[in-house]
Amino acid sequence: MSPIEGTLLQLNSVAGAFWEIVALTFRVTGTATLISAALGIPAGALLGLSKFAGRRFIVTSIYTGMGLPPVVVGLAVYLTLSRSGPLGVMEWLFTPWAMVVAQVIISFPLVAGLTMTAIEALDPDLRLQLRSLGAGRRQEVAAMLGEAREGVVAAVVAGFGGIISEVGAAMLVGGNIESQTRVLSTAIVLETRRGFFGLALGLGGALLGMAFMVNFIFLRLQGRGRWPVR
Amino acid sequence: MNKSQVRGVLLCTVGLLLASCAAPEGQVLRLATTTSTYDSGLLNDILPAFEAEYGVRVDVVAVGTGQALALGRRGDADVILVHAASKEQAFVEEGYGLARFPVMFNDFILVGPPEDPAKIGGVEQAAEALARIAAAAAPFASRGDDSGTYARERALWQAAGLQPDSEAGWYLSLGQGMAATLQFADEAGAYTLTDRGTFMAQRAQLEHLELMVGGGSISENADRALMNPYSVIPVNPAGNGGVQADLAQKFIDWLLSLDTQKRIAVFGIDQFGQPLFFPDSERWRSTRP
């Protein structure tokens, strides 16, 4: 059997599974991106707009977190969610939730750190202007985020990109279980391991296509109109 | 996009994500196993019958033997299917597993470049072939991980009275899976020890590797030290409330039953012209002359 025949044979058998894998990838990484954005944007704004004791330590930790090896995050999440671990009773190990947890930990520092940088890059006079116009604290933060929206969207895009292709943690805490926790990145590893290189490449193409589409939508969000400011 | 559009998109996305992440229902058996049983397609071939008969779902986590046993130790798997006799024995003796049951076996072979610089083609005993490789200082690619294949490789070196390590220059410890190691050997013109199933499944991609020791099929393999038995082990539920011991036992009874053993015996014939695994349960052996 030639490699091409092998690939076709495999393609046939996985055609149904393919969309399932794409959908799960979208769900897991989408949920994780939303959570990281919901936590990371406010955290980044807080760090970018205020001065307090320990801020430098937190900022250094967040920058360090950007370089965390995903496998280490995966291992820590595994040990925590294991039946012998402190949160074992939740029965999250080898479910999509475990993958979401790991991905949030990986992407949060990216979103928070880059949001902070975007806010800090704004003209300091803007803040004074807003205050002199009588903006409250919340209005001020919303307006600053709106002004820095290109950077904030870039922060979310970076967080998304960091986890959609991530494989070490997803493999470890998800287990790459067929129909349950198999996402594009872990499926690529599986097919490579089995020697179906053509199929692995095809799945890689699908992953790229998906990332491209999501980024396309993000960029429209970045470029069109103003960020909603009350 | 205006404000309400953005809000609408976000709400829809959140709703969609939450709806789709709902927890699954029903009984689930978690099987931790080595990549060889899963990647060959064997489990996907036989498991649906068990799932249908008992109305359960089997979640297969395919990892290295070392990691599979670690999952069992922490109670994160209900049942384990691996191939590393000494590690299995320790696992059971330490109380993590209840017992070991033989399931099936396949065999290991030595493969290498057609030029065969160490002249091992036709040698029958693996230890003898390894000694020749060492004497010729021909490149040898080792898994170098925690796999059953690596454990066997080290045992074979020991049988040859050798303990090669990376200092030797020709001994290359990769720390990679079987497919990656074969691929490396193919590119680097190195010898390596592989299970026959993975080699056959990958053969089309391995143009520069030839079978050297082990014969054309398992029945032609003259070296008993190359046999590769797989055992199934139920994880000890004591100390781990979540472990599904009853279901694990049902699974084991089913795996060792004649019907399942017959399926194992014919798996792979369509694709490779010979079976990849040979049934070996007690029940199966009792029906053989």
Side-chain angles (χ1 to χ4, degrees):
Chain A
M1 190 175 56
S2 75
I4 303 210
E5 279 174 286
T7 302
L8 285 179
L9 197 81
Q10 282 299 302
L11 266 182
N12 263 339
S13 70
V14 298
F18 173 74
W19 291 111
E20 198 174 72
I21 294 173
V22 168
L24 187 70
T25 306
F26 174 70
R27 280 179 223 154
V28 169
T29 301
T31 309
T33 306
L34 277 181
I35 296 175
S36 318
L39 299 173
I41 293 175
L46 181 80
L47 287 168
L49 290 173
S50 45
K51 304 255 174 289
F52 53 88
R55 179 182 175 275
R56 185 173 291 271
F57 175 76
I58 295 178
V59 170
T60 310
S61 305
I62 284 183
Y63 281 149
T64 309
M66 288 184 186
L68 259 185
V71 178
V72 174
V73 174
L75 192 55
V77 172
Y78 164 67
L79 291 172
T80 309
L81 295 180
S82 160
R83 277 178 188 156
S84 309
L87 297 182
V89 286
M90 295 173 74
E91 303 249 304
W92 272 15
L93 186 64
F94 300 134
T95 69
W97 286 116
M99 305 167 84
V100 169
V101 170
Q103 295 194 345
V104 167
I105 296 173
I106 293 165
S107 61
F108 171 80
L110 286 164
V111 179
L114 295 178
T115 300
M116 180 187 75
T117 312
I119 296 267
E120 281 175 343
L122 292 176
D123 184 351
D125 289 345
L126 174 69
R127 208 169 167 193
L128 297 175
Q129 260 174 28
L130 286 166
R131 284 198 185 152
S132 67
L133 288 170
R137 178 79 177 150
R138 287 184 63 177
Q139 282 170 313
E140 184 190 318
V141 173
M144 299 285 281
L145 279 174
E147 211 47 50
R149 69 182 177 284
E150 288 190 10
V152 174
V153 170
V156 177
V157 167
F160 171 80
I163 53 179
I164 189 168
S165 56
E166 191 287 316
V167 66
M171 206 72 169
L172 208 56
V173 305
N176 189 33
I177 298 166
E178 190 177 13
S179 310
Q180 302 298 322
T181 55
R182 181 163 303 161
V183 291
L184 278 167
S185 61
T186 60
I188 291 168
V189 170
L190 172 67
E191 299 308 339
T192 306
R193 208 168 68 192
R194 299 166 79 168
F196 295 114
F197 298 149
L199 182 55
L201 266 185
L203 289 169
L207 184 82
L208 272 182
M210 206 174 135
F212 187 89
M213 248 171 48
V214 171
N215 284 331
F216 187 78
I217 295 168
F218 270 128
L219 289 182
R220 282 187 76 96
L221 210 64
Q222 190 181 41
R224 278 268 208 90
R226 296 248 138 177
W227 196 264
V229 180
R230 201 179 287 271
Chain B
M1 259 193 248
N2 67 30
K3 189 158 98 187
S4 60
Q5 276 175 318
V6 171
R7 190 175 285 169
V9 168
L10 282 182
L11 275 179
C12 285
T13 317
V14 173
L16 207 71
L17 293 173
L18 290 183
S20 54
C21 279
E25 49 348 285
Q27 262 191 314
V28 178
L29 179 76
R30 201 180 287 151
L31 167 67
T33 184
T34 70
T35 47
S36 53
T37 54
Y38 189 78
D39 294 1
S40 63
L42 172 73
L43 292 176
N44 277 345
D45 187 71
I46 62 171
L47 284 180
F50 176 77
E51 294 182 311
E53 191 174 338
Y54 291 89
V56 297
R57 193 182 86 213
V58 181
D59 279 357
V60 181
V61 181
V63 290
T65 293
Q67 198 185 339
L69 291 169
L71 289 176
R73 271 191 205 103
R74 298 185 60 87
D76 293 321
D78 303 310
V79 62
I80 289 174
L81 177 62
V82 288
H83 63 114
S86 58
K87 286 181 187 177
E88 294 163 18
Q89 212 161 351
F91 184 80
V92 173
E93 274 166 14
E94 287 159 19
Y96 296 113
L98 294 173
R100 282 168 68 200
F101 302 96
V103 178
M104 59 193 184
F105 61 93
N106 60 3
D107 63 339
F108 291 111
I109 51 176
L110 277 168
V111 298
E115 307 78 44
D116 195 14
K119 302 273 171 288
I120 66 166
V123 173
E124 290 200 333
Q125 300 297 311
E128 158 72 14
L130 289 181
R132 288 194 191 191
I133 291 172
F140 182 90
S142 165
R143 290 280 295 273
D145 55 7
D146 206 5
S147 62
T149 306
Y150 178 65
R152 178 61 58 92
E153 180 214 307
R154 294 309 302 188
L156 289 168
W157 283 112
Q158 204 163 8
L162 293 164
Q163 298 240 321
D165 57 34
S166 321
E167 310 229 326
W170 55 269
Y171 184 82
L172 309 160
S173 179
L174 302 186
Q176 301 236 44
M178 196 71 253
T181 303
L182 281 168
Q183 214 63 45
F184 174 89
D186 184 56
E187 299 284 345
Y191 292 98
T192 194
L193 179 76
T194 172
D195 62 284
R196 190 185 296 271
T198 307
F199 180 66
M200 285 198 298
Q202 311 255 322
R203 194 152 202 180
Q205 272 105 266
L206 305 171
E207 289 166 36
H208 314 295
L209 280 188
E210 272 174 19
L211 199 155
M212 295 283 161
V213 176
S217 72
I218 192 163
S219 44
E220 293 166 33
N221 195 336
D223 190 353
R224 294 296 304 167
L226 286 173
M227 293 300 130
N228 179 30
Y230 287 75
S231 313
V232 67
I233 305 175
V235 173
N236 191 345
N240 268 303
V243 173
Q244 312 226 37
D246 290 347
L247 196 55
Q249 193 53 52
K250 277 184 198 150
F251 173 75
I252 289 170
D253 292 342
W254 170 83
L255 187 61
L256 304 181
S257 72
L258 266 188
D259 282 351
T260 310
Q261 294 273 307
K262 278 181 194 154
R263 290 224 47 159
I264 293 175
V266 298
F267 173 74
I269 294 180
D270 297 351
Q271 212 183 340
F272 305 108
Q274 55 173 287
L276 294 188
F277 297 93
F278 290 76
D280 193 32
S281 79
E282 221 169 285
R283 181 91 182 73
W284 170 268
R285 270 179 277 147
S286 72
T287 64
R288 306 284 111 181

